Amino acid sequence: MPFCSAETAAQFSPPAGSWALLAGVVQPKSRGRIRLTGANPRSLIEIEANTLAHPDDMKAAIACVKLCREIGNSAPLRPFGKREVMPGNLKGAALENFIRDAASSYWHQTCTAKMGHDAMSVADGSLKVHGVIIFESLTVPLCRASHPATRWRLAT
């Protein structure tokens, strides 16, 4: 089963041997909220993701779907599939509904590698690892906008 939501799986019934292209909105303008539900510290919190609430985020998501469809239906990928399963040539509100049903959050850990001079450190403050200079997203204290799975590497 390709990566899809319960809603899109029910609507499109993708075959078990399917594959998917995924794209994401980087630096969304939509903002969610986290609220306390009570004074008790053990009370659950209320999370309102507010995903795709800003119109620019939906425009970006539509561009992502169009690009994925273009790539997925391109000549070099034709040998790997018989047909496009989803979303197909949806337009307007139907495409926006598909995007809302298919959307999910994603992340990739960055800035998690220990920096220092002890045995547990991966790099020092100059990003030197055993005499090699490495620039890698796991060692960077501030991550710039990019796809979360992006890795930057530069070695000398």
Side-chain angles (χ1 to χ4, degrees), residues 62-114:
I62 289 170
C64 288
V65 170
K66 287 179 179 179
L67 179 61
C68 285
R69 290 191 69 231
E70 181 181 332
I71 293 168
N73 289 312
S74 68
L77 292 181
R78 280 194 197 117
F80 302 103
K82 295 178 183 176
R83 64 182 173 86
E84 178 181 343
V85 176
M86 62 180 166
N89 198 22
L90 299 178
K91 303 278 186 211
L95 179 56
E96 288 186 15
N97 288 336
F98 168 80
I99 290 170
R100 289 187 195 287
D101 285 344
S104 66
S105 61
Y106 60 95
W107 65 92
H108 184 273
Q109 289 75 16
T110 62
C111 313
T112 58
K114 185 174 186 212

Side-chain angles (χ1 to χ4, degrees), residues 5 8 23-33 48-65 92-106:
S5 67
T8 56
V25 177
V26 179
Q27 290 187 320
K29 294 180 179 176
S30 301
R31 294 293 177 255
R33 294 174 187 82
E48 181 185 348
N50 216 25
T51 304
L52 299 170
H54 195 284
D56 289 351
D57 293 347
M58 181 56 79
K59 286 179 192 174
I62 289 170
C64 288
V65 170
L95 179 56
E96 288 186 15
N97 288 336
F98 168 80
I99 290 170
R100 289 187 195 287
D101 285 344
S104 66
S105 61
Y106 60 95

